[in-house]
Amino acid sequence: MEQKIHQGRNVKRFREMLGIKQEALAFDLGNDWNQKKISLLEQKDVIEDDMLKQISNALRIPVEAFQNFDEEQAVNIISNTFNDQSNGYNYYPTFNINPVEKWIEALEEIKRLNLELLKSKDEQIKVLEKLLNVK
């Protein structure tokens, strides 16, 4: 038994994925639309092609997405595609950081900053000496 694709439910799913409220979609579709009409539209099994084109333009999603998206097929594809190693989550992460190298880098940075501080202090002393010699 072939399951029909529910276009209204697909409109609702894509709208929700985009974070768009029914009122906002109604506003984008025109003055004769309101939240209640969008709610009724999302309950329809089949939506007229011209209406799908308007919704497509408003949501910036291809018409084919509303006509062909089947959630069960998508879930099956995802569940059959991903396993423990391919889901993008690494259970045993490896860190390529050598703590000794990082410690040495930090020490070098401290040395560099101390030298800059000493240079700055010497320059300030010279400026103060000049001011004292002028008076």
Side-chain angles (χ1 to χ4, degrees):
M1 185 170 97
E2 187 176 319
Q3 187 168 356
K4 276 192 91 154
I5 293 173
H6 194 287
Q7 293 177 355
R9 195 173 302 130
N10 287 342
V11 168
K12 179 179 180 177
R13 283 190 185 106
F14 284 111
R15 177 185 57 75
E16 288 175 344
M17 282 190 270
L18 293 170
I20 297 173
K21 299 214 176 268
Q22 288 178 334
E23 294 87 357
L25 179 57
F27 179 80
D28 287 343
L29 291 177
N31 291 333
D32 53 332
W33 283 89
N34 57 35
Q35 181 272 325
K36 181 70 175 168
K37 284 180 79 172
I38 296 296
S39 179
L40 293 171
L41 177 83
E42 290 176 350
Q43 294 173 20
K44 288 184 164 184
D45 286 340
V46 178
I47 299 173
E48 301 79 30
D49 288 340
D50 61 328
M51 189 68 245
L52 276 179
K53 286 178 188 173
Q54 289 179 5
I55 296 168
S56 171
N57 289 335
L59 296 179
R60 293 181 182 87
I61 293 178
V63 173
E64 295 79 19
F66 304 118
Q67 295 171 331
N68 300 326
F69 181 75
D70 182 7
E71 187 175 23
E72 284 187 34
Q73 285 180 345
V75 168
N76 285 337
I77 290 169
I78 291 168
S79 64
N80 290 333
T81 303
F82 289 116
N83 59 35
D84 288 349
Q85 304 305 318
S86 66
N87 64 3
Y89 180 78
N90 189 354
Y91 291 102
Y92 305 104
T94 55
F95 298 101
N96 296 324
I97 299 172
N98 186 343
V100 175
E101 286 178 13
K102 288 292 182 185
W103 184 61
I104 291 172
E105 286 175 15
L107 286 176
E108 293 297 323
E109 180 69 9
I110 290 170
K111 281 183 192 178
R112 187 186 65 76
L113 291 171
N114 279 336
L115 286 174
E116 285 182 26
L117 190 60
L118 286 173
K119 276 185 193 176
S120 174
K121 185 185 91 173
D122 289 342
E123 290 171 4
Q124 287 178 354
I125 288 173
K126 286 179 185 178
V127 169
L128 288 173
E129 285 175 348
K130 282 182 184 179
L131 287 173
L132 287 174
N133 290 337
V134 169
K135 291 184 180 181

